[in-house]
Every structure is written in C-alpha cells, then in structure tokens.
Amino acid sequence: MDTRIRRGSYSTAWILHNIGGSKRLRCMASRFYDKAFKDSLLDKFIEDHADPHGERLGNWLAERMGGEGRVWSKSRPDGARQTAHRRAWHSKKRSSRERGKRFKVADCRVWMRLMFWAARDEGLHTHKPFWTWFVPFISSWIRVYEATAGKYAKEDAEWSADDANTEAYVKAGHVMVDVASAKAARAHK
C-alpha cells in the first residue's frame, strides 16, 4: 500500500483544513452510517446503531489526512479498528453460515458506493483536491479487507453520480441489485 496515501502530508492536511476539518468528515461518515443502517447487506455487520460509528470513522479519516493531530487514536485503544471489524464479521445479525467470514467483494463495493454517496451528499465531490485524494485512498484501504475490491473504487465512486442508480437502490429496498446478482452468480460457481 502506498504510504503517501496512508499517512497525512502537508497537502492532505491542507485539504482537510480547506474542506472544513474533521467536523466535515464526521458529518460525511454519519451520513454514510445513516445509509448503512438501512442497507440490507451492510446493516448485518452493525449490531449497535447507538455506537458513535460516524464520529469514529470521521476522526479516523481526519487522522489519516493529518493536520489535526491524533483525533482518532487518542480516544481509541490499540487495535480498535481490527477489533471493530472482527465484531462485524461475527455479528449476530449475520446468518450462522456467514458469521465469522471476512468481508467479500460485494460487501466492500456496497460500502464504497454508500461512502462515496455520503461524500457527494456532503458536497465533497465538488472539492477537486479532496475527491482526487479520497477515491484512491478508499481504493487503497478497501484492499486491506478484500484484495480485489480496490479496482472498483472509481466505478463505485461514479455510481452515486447518477440519480437513477440511487433511486433504483432505494426502490429495491436498499438492495444493490447489480452487486447482489454478481454475488449470487459467484456463489453458484
């Protein structure tokens, strides 16, 4: 993974400041979780909606960008990110057949689409330096959870630019039919 993407730099700290700081990222992340709680696939990974998921994710992103210090790690114990993802894999909301399994490509693609949609809702797609940094950053980090998922980041970032996609998703009961169909096809091979 490219360490320039993983660690903050002067330019990413400038971007963070220019978009409105960690507060703006917390707003985006909260929008993401509002969407994820409704999503038929992702909500199965989230046992407690009352946890401050958006605040933590926004702070994690801000810390990766740099410029505001340790806004995430000063309030989280070592290994917190890994522990949270293990809890998601073992969520009681998942079927017993799926429980304990790591994220799959479909899970990651839905996550990315909702994250990019939340960023669009927050208006962050119009901030060219942020968007130019954010899409590759997400592509890089999603590979930690599923090695091939990152190649879909650009496509998944564009998914929410088309209102027809988001409207169809909501109309289908918060199911991404194209991703679910691909997942089902792979399961039958």
Side-chain angles (χ1 to χ4, degrees):
M1 183 179 309
D2 187 340
T3 56
R4 291 170 300 160
I5 292 174
R6 289 190 72 169
R7 267 184 260 158
S9 64
Y10 175 79
S11 62
T12 57
W14 175 88
I15 292 168
L16 178 62
H17 173 75
N18 199 259
I19 63 168
S22 59
K23 180 180 180 184
R24 189 89 181 270
L25 294 178
R26 286 189 295 274
C27 288
M28 177 193 70
S30 293
R31 286 177 186 263
F32 163 77
Y33 275 103
D34 289 344
K35 294 175 186 311
F37 295 156
K38 295 174 191 164
D39 185 81
S40 62
L41 180 65
L42 294 188
D43 189 53
K44 293 175 184 170
F45 291 106
I46 308 165
E47 285 192 9
D48 187 357
H49 290 191
D51 276 352
H53 299 289
E55 179 182 333
R56 290 193 299 242
L57 178 56
N59 285 341
W60 181 82
L61 287 165
E63 188 167 314
R64 298 282 71 78
M65 293 184 83
E68 290 188 12
R70 299 180 53 197
V71 294
W72 181 79
S73 58
K74 72 180 177 188
S75 65
R76 306 296 300 149
D78 286 342
R81 189 174 54 83
Q82 293 85 345
T83 300
H85 291 113
R86 257 193 310 280
R87 277 196 315 266
W89 299 328
H90 293 277
S91 171
K92 293 178 181 94
K93 292 167 91 175
R94 297 181 79 195
S95 72
S96 58
R97 196 175 99 249
E98 290 292 315
R99 200 170 300 140
K101 293 183 180 177
R102 292 178 175 260
F103 304 121
K104 303 290 184 221
V105 173
D107 307 325
C108 294
R109 294 201 64 197
V110 171
W111 188 95
M112 286 192 291
R113 286 179 177 187
L114 295 184
M115 177 56 71
F116 293 129
W117 186 9
R120 283 182 189 284
D121 285 351
E122 190 61 28
L124 290 168
H125 66 295
T126 64
H127 190 283
K128 190 168 175 62
F130 175 80
W131 200 250
T132 301
W133 169 81
F134 189 57
V135 175
F137 175 83
I138 294 298
S139 173
S140 178
W141 272 98
I142 205 76
R143 287 181 170 104
V144 170
Y145 303 105
E146 205 292 323
T148 65
K151 69 183 179 183
Y152 297 103
K154 188 173 181 181
E155 176 184 337
D156 290 341
E158 291 305 313
W159 175 87
S160 61
D162 185 345
D163 290 341
N165 289 334
T166 58
E167 290 166 10
Y169 164 74
V170 171
K171 188 175 180 180
H174 299 272
V175 174
M176 292 190 189
V177 176
D178 60 325
V179 174
S181 299
K183 182 178 180 177
R186 281 190 302 278
H188 286 50
K189 286 184 179 182

